[in-house]
Amino acid sequence: MTITGVLTLIAILASGTYLQLSVGGDLFNTRKQQVLADSARATNAAQRLLEASDAQDRVGFNALVIAMRSAIRDASSSQMIALQRMPNQSFSSEAPQDSATEGLASGVITQDLVEMVRTGDESQYWQSVTLTNPDGSTSAGIVVGSQLTFPGSAGTYGLYIGYSLADAEQTLTYVQRTLLVTALFLMVLLGLLVWTIVRLVFRPIHVAAETSRRLAAGESDVRMPEQGDEQFDVLSQSFNDMADSLQNRISELAELSQMQQRFVSDVSHELRTPLTTIRLAGDVLYGQREKLDTTAARTVELLHTQVDRFERLLTDLLEISRYDAGSVTLEREPTNLVRIAEETVEGMASLAEAAGSDVRLIAQGGYLDAELDARRVRRVIQNLLGNAIEHGEGKPIIVTVDSNETAVAVSVRDFGVGMTGEATLRVFDRFWRADPSRKRTIGGTGLGLAISLEDASVHNGWLDVWSAPGRGSSFRLTLPRKRDVPIGHSPLPVVPADEIDTDGGGDRR
């Protein structure tokens, strides 16, 4: 509609300008021809009167000028008359004085017109001027000049007759007003027409867009109604067929997903009974390992370790299956993040000491309670700290806690092997390991970071990572203070301060 309106306005302006110029030019030319004919007639009448006169003195010439003005007024339609003696003539005391009526007495007659009348070969010359009306207003006009020869020693005079074009200006103004009203009417009419057509044409498209939006919002049973038009009904039918196909496919995928999740959950539950039996038997053997020979004792120790890992794996699989099924419910309560971090660091102190790592806790903030699921937050910090101990190569580990008006955050920084950019992008994938050949010292299941990411997401929080080969890694968990208040920004940077001060290298996610 905007493009149509702009193009229409340009077309109307162009055509209106052309019509205005054309009408104005025709009016001026027509009026000019009338003026020239009128002036020629009046000049001839005046010259005949002069030729028939025998005036020889000033009194006679003055009477002759009065009679000549009367003849000019009778022979023309103008009352504006000026009489000027041509320059470069010998002085004559009998010659009448220059005179002009009110309309031509204010310097309207230019020197150029006077010179053309004096030296030209034509019988009359004209010039466009601005005339002052009796009421003080101004209007366009034409002054026509011609020569008159007085009898005796009076010499040659220039006769100038002024004609007002006020009537032509009024006509042109009326035409302009008519064109403007017509243009406005056409714009409104065309706008209404285009608006009506656009609504008729785009109404089915708006219906399709609204139906698509509702489908995307999860209303799988919504369909496009028929529009009463053959072409649009074909579109509606095709769209509805596509929606039916998508709904069937989504239903199939949802059913398969539920079956898969149910299978994982059922298998995990079913495995717990034999696992419990194996665990009890293994504990008995593990308690009697000192009475066994070396090979059998080593076998019992391996069995005990793998049963522990198998039990943790079943627990993680059950947790992942709950996330996949969307059945996770948070048990929010006022939680002190600094307290959780302290308890986690103390609980894993022996493991860090065995690995040769010194774990330091820096609590800059986070002492005020936040609405969190303490069990899940503790699990995330345990996973992050366990990874830092395993990959920290015995170097210090820094755990930092801070907060701001909308969020609380904890970061775990190690100075170990680090990861490449490609590894950083996959670090939260299930069962993925950056270095498969690396020995596990803690016995992780490969699901810890994946579950940690889910725990952060279910809180509407963030879990970010920065890492660089040979310079270590930094994981940052950011959680909202209130469940309905979004995080403005994290109180902790994902890139460690020591890396920002150097070159800011590494990869982040």
Side-chain angles (χ1 to χ4, degrees), residues 9-27 172 175-176 179-180 183:
L9 179 62
I10 293 175
I12 290 177
L13 288 176
S15 59
T17 302
Y18 172 78
L19 288 175
Q20 178 180 342
L21 294 176
S22 178
V23 171
D26 289 343
L27 285 174
L172 185 60
V175 172
Q176 291 174 341
L179 288 175
L180 179 60

Side-chain angles (χ1 to χ4, degrees), residues 68-389:
M68 182 187 66
R69 286 181 177 174
S70 299
I72 292 174
R73 291 191 180 95
D74 294 338
S76 69
S77 59
S78 176
Q79 302 297 314
M80 293 180 287
I81 303 171
L83 190 64
Q84 295 181 1
R85 194 166 188 267
M86 290 294 179
N88 300 328
Q89 298 185 78
S90 59
F91 175 78
S92 174
S93 58
E94 291 81 9
Q97 298 294 320
D98 295 347
S99 61
T101 58
E102 182 179 357
L104 298 179
S106 57
V108 175
I109 303 172
T110 64
Q111 190 61 35
D112 293 337
L113 181 60
V114 173
E115 190 64 23
M116 285 189 295
V117 172
R118 186 180 72 84
T119 61
D121 298 332
E122 301 292 334
S123 59
Q124 56 184 2
Y125 295 90
W126 65 275
Q127 190 175 56
S128 296
V129 296
T130 299
L131 300 176
T132 302
N133 300 319
D135 58 356
S137 62
T138 59
S139 62
I142 296 177
V143 174
V144 181
S146 56
Q147 286 190 13
L148 291 178
T149 304
F150 275 68
S153 60
T156 305
Y157 280 73
L159 175 63
Y160 303 96
I161 305 176
Y163 296 87
S164 174
L165 300 182
D167 54 346
E169 285 186 330
Q170 293 177 355
T171 303
L172 185 60
T173 301
Y174 174 78
V175 172
Q176 291 174 341
R177 189 182 303 112
T178 303
L179 288 175
L180 179 60
V181 172
T182 304
L184 292 176
F185 174 76
L186 288 176
M187 287 292 294
V188 173
L189 179 63
L190 185 62
L192 292 175
L193 180 62
V194 172
W195 181 78
T196 303
I197 295 176
V198 166
R199 284 186 60 84
L200 291 175
V201 172
F202 284 96
R203 183 170 56 87
I205 300 177
H206 289 310
V207 173
E210 177 63 19
T211 306
S212 301
R213 186 192 63 78
R214 294 175 62 185
L215 279 174
E219 301 181 34
S220 58
D221 57 341
V222 68
R223 295 295 182 269
M224 276 187 64
E226 294 186 356
Q227 305 296 320
D229 181 88
E230 180 180 357
Q231 301 299 326
F232 286 117
D233 286 345
V234 172
L235 172 63
S236 299
Q237 185 62 40
S238 301
F239 186 92
N240 293 336
D241 292 342
M242 178 190 69
D244 292 336
S245 177
L246 287 175
Q247 184 178 13
N248 294 334
R249 184 60 177 167
I250 291 173
S251 299
E252 294 176 1
L253 292 175
E255 185 177 354
L256 289 174
S257 178
Q258 291 177 358
M259 292 177 60
Q260 180 184 11
Q261 295 164 8
R262 191 181 305 114
F263 174 77
V264 174
S265 179
D266 291 345
V267 168
S268 301
H269 278 292
E270 292 299 327
L271 286 176
R272 281 197 172 277
T273 299
L275 178 61
T276 302
T277 303
I278 295 173
R279 178 62 181 267
L280 291 175
D283 288 342
V284 172
L285 292 175
Y286 188 74
Q288 301 294 326
R289 67 186 184 281
E290 294 180 356
K291 300 178 181 180
L292 302 175
D293 58 73
T294 304
T295 303
R298 178 59 180 164
T299 302
V300 170
E301 290 176 356
L302 289 175
L303 177 63
H304 183 269
T305 301
Q306 293 303 316
V307 168
D308 286 343
R309 183 170 181 269
F310 191 22
E311 190 172 11
R312 288 195 301 270
L313 179 60
L314 277 178
T315 302
D316 289 346
L317 284 174
L318 281 173
E319 190 68 16
I320 285 291
S321 66
R322 293 189 189 98
Y323 276 114
D324 291 341
S327 59
V328 174
T329 302
L330 292 180
E331 298 179 1
R332 294 180 182 268
E333 59 183 0
T335 303
N336 188 307
L337 187 59
V338 176
R339 181 76 56 82
I340 292 179
E342 288 177 345
E343 294 174 354
T344 305
V345 171
E346 292 175 0
M348 302 186 72
S350 60
L351 186 62
E353 184 178 355
S357 295
D358 177 26
V359 181
R360 288 178 287 173
L361 176 62
I362 301 175
Q364 301 170 341
Y367 293 93
L368 297 179
D369 290 344
E371 296 181 5
L372 306 173
D373 188 328
R375 180 180 66 86
R376 298 182 186 279
V377 174
R378 182 178 289 105
R379 180 170 60 190
V380 174
I381 299 176
Q382 286 175 348
N383 282 327
L384 298 182
L385 187 55
N387 282 338
I389 294 172

